[in-house]
Amino acid sequence: MTSLYVVDTLAEGGQIGAEEIVEAAVRCQRVEGDFVLGVSTGSTPGSTWRALAGRLGESSVDTGRIQAFALDEYLDIEADHPESYRAVVRRQITLPLGLNPEKVRCPGDDGRDLQAPQRYEQAIRDAGGIDLQVLGIGRNGHIAFNEPGSSLASRCRVAALAEQTRQDNSRFFSSQEEVPRYCITQGIGTIMQARQLLLIAYGTAKAEALAAALEGPITAAVPASAIQLHPDVVVVADRSAASLLVHSANYSALRL
Ligand code: F6R
């Protein structure tokens, strides 16, 4: 079941995303235990993290009772590299939101041995599963670093980045050569077990991927299309990213 918000600006999208996260956190913290937030890196969720930093302070959410799990992490990069996802999560999420660093996890942060993906999967299970997972989408339809061809049942694992993803992410590095080739990523099966998904997409470059994900066939060729089978998906898109959707009037809720 998909709800779609079409927004005019990233700031508006950020406010809506932040509100969804706060509502989920309040719901979860009303019952015992932590709110478990799945976090995405990349450019897309930036305005959501900024808005959330403001909203959390005004809400009844106890930031000490938030656990966070990143979607993915580059493998062939030093952990203290400023573009390692561990560093990005610390800079954009842990510090501004005032989260307890001990409750924020990235794949491979406890060692990059062969068992690291399984340990990460287990850590998510031990936390009680992810309550709300924030997702961006790649131009090739990837979610996390599940590139086209990834099994829709895949779990946390070591994977290779598609060449298009390496080109897209080269803007964060000083040269194309420096862009990592491998990662540890949550699998599509892992993501699908989150209780709620918040997929954010901005810009014309994401329009084809978003339309394929929400309205095309469910196929490993478009990993994000798996979310059509998820019971609780909120999509926040700007007008450019939503421009190729043709059936959105029939979604369970359309919020303009
Ligand atoms: C990041 C991630 C990726 C990005 C996607 C979009 O943790 O898992 O799937 O969400 O590549 O990246 P941006 O937002 O930079 O366009």
mmCIF file of all heavy atoms in Angstrom, residues 1 16 77 87 127 135 164 177 193 220-221:
data_model
loop_
_atom_site.group_PDB
_atom_site.id
_atom_site.type_symbol
_atom_site.label_atom_id
_atom_site.label_comp_id
_atom_site.label_asym_id
_atom_site.label_seq_id
_atom_site.Cartn_x
_atom_site.Cartn_y
_atom_site.Cartn_z
ATOM 1 N N MET A 1 0.853 -1.189 0.000
ATOM 2 C CA MET A 1 0.000 0.000 0.000
ATOM 3 C C MET A 1 0.887 1.237 0.000
ATOM 4 O O MET A 1 1.751 1.382 0.840
ATOM 5 C CB MET A 1 -0.875 -0.017 1.257
ATOM 6 C CG MET A 1 -2.067 0.861 1.150
ATOM 7 S SD MET A 1 -3.231 0.561 2.500
ATOM 8 C CE MET A 1 -2.553 1.581 3.783
ATOM 9 N N ILE A 16 7.937 16.863 5.475
ATOM 10 C CA ILE A 16 6.987 15.736 5.450
ATOM 11 C C ILE A 16 7.681 14.450 5.906
ATOM 12 O O ILE A 16 7.164 13.693 6.723
ATOM 13 C CB ILE A 16 6.378 15.585 4.041
ATOM 14 C CG1 ILE A 16 5.457 16.775 3.777
ATOM 15 C CG2 ILE A 16 5.619 14.269 3.901
ATOM 16 C CD1 ILE A 16 4.967 16.884 2.354
ATOM 17 N N ILE A 77 37.318 1.293 1.424
ATOM 18 C CA ILE A 77 37.560 2.681 1.808
ATOM 19 C C ILE A 77 37.935 2.636 3.298
ATOM 20 O O ILE A 77 37.436 1.778 4.039
ATOM 21 C CB ILE A 77 36.269 3.517 1.585
ATOM 22 C CG1 ILE A 77 36.528 5.013 1.635
ATOM 23 C CG2 ILE A 77 35.192 3.155 2.550
ATOM 24 C CD1 ILE A 77 35.281 5.836 1.276
ATOM 25 N N ALA A 87 31.293 7.823 8.418
ATOM 26 C CA ALA A 87 31.577 9.249 8.666
ATOM 27 C C ALA A 87 30.377 10.117 8.277
ATOM 28 O O ALA A 87 30.019 11.051 8.986
ATOM 29 C CB ALA A 87 32.824 9.675 7.891
ATOM 30 N N ALA A 127 17.665 -6.023 17.561
ATOM 31 C CA ALA A 127 17.052 -4.735 17.920
ATOM 32 C C ALA A 127 15.529 -4.802 17.801
ATOM 33 O O ALA A 127 14.838 -3.840 18.114
ATOM 34 C CB ALA A 127 17.606 -3.634 17.023
ATOM 35 N N LEU A 135 14.660 5.431 2.502
ATOM 36 C CA LEU A 135 15.317 4.954 1.283
ATOM 37 C C LEU A 135 15.455 6.079 0.263
ATOM 38 O O LEU A 135 14.515 6.870 0.081
ATOM 39 C CB LEU A 135 14.477 3.858 0.603
ATOM 40 C CG LEU A 135 14.233 2.554 1.342
ATOM 41 C CD1 LEU A 135 13.168 1.742 0.602
ATOM 42 C CD2 LEU A 135 15.536 1.758 1.446
ATOM 43 N N GLN A 164 27.328 2.608 -13.211
ATOM 44 C CA GLN A 164 26.540 3.849 -13.183
ATOM 45 C C GLN A 164 26.525 4.462 -11.775
ATOM 46 O O GLN A 164 26.630 5.677 -11.608
ATOM 47 C CB GLN A 164 25.103 3.585 -13.638
ATOM 48 C CG GLN A 164 24.292 4.859 -13.676
ATOM 49 C CD GLN A 164 22.924 4.682 -14.298
ATOM 50 O OE1 GLN A 164 22.285 3.653 -14.164
ATOM 51 N NE2 GLN A 164 22.484 5.698 -15.000
ATOM 52 N N GLU A 177 38.538 7.132 -10.076
ATOM 53 C CA GLU A 177 39.332 6.003 -9.591
ATOM 54 C C GLU A 177 39.125 5.760 -8.100
ATOM 55 O O GLU A 177 39.148 4.626 -7.621
ATOM 56 C CB GLU A 177 40.823 6.290 -9.855
ATOM 57 C CG GLU A 177 41.585 5.303 -10.695
ATOM 58 C CD GLU A 177 40.924 3.974 -10.915
ATOM 59 O OE1 GLU A 177 40.135 3.797 -11.863
ATOM 60 O OE2 GLU A 177 41.215 3.073 -10.096
ATOM 61 N N GLN A 193 11.579 -6.270 5.302
ATOM 62 C CA GLN A 193 11.083 -6.630 6.639
ATOM 63 C C GLN A 193 10.903 -5.421 7.539
ATOM 64 O O GLN A 193 10.347 -5.549 8.628
ATOM 65 C CB GLN A 193 12.034 -7.633 7.288
ATOM 66 C CG GLN A 193 11.764 -9.033 6.759
ATOM 67 C CD GLN A 193 12.583 -10.088 7.450
ATOM 68 O OE1 GLN A 193 13.723 -9.841 7.845
ATOM 69 N NE2 GLN A 193 12.020 -11.259 7.591
ATOM 70 N N ALA A 220 13.785 -8.136 -10.592
ATOM 71 C CA ALA A 220 15.139 -7.897 -10.083
ATOM 72 C C ALA A 220 15.867 -6.852 -10.926
ATOM 73 O O ALA A 220 16.839 -6.253 -10.470
ATOM 74 C CB ALA A 220 15.928 -9.205 -10.067
ATOM 75 N N ALA A 221 15.382 -6.614 -12.160
ATOM 76 C CA ALA A 221 16.016 -5.598 -13.006
ATOM 77 C C ALA A 221 15.789 -4.193 -12.450
ATOM 78 O O ALA A 221 16.536 -3.273 -12.775
ATOM 79 C CB ALA A 221 15.478 -5.700 -14.435
#
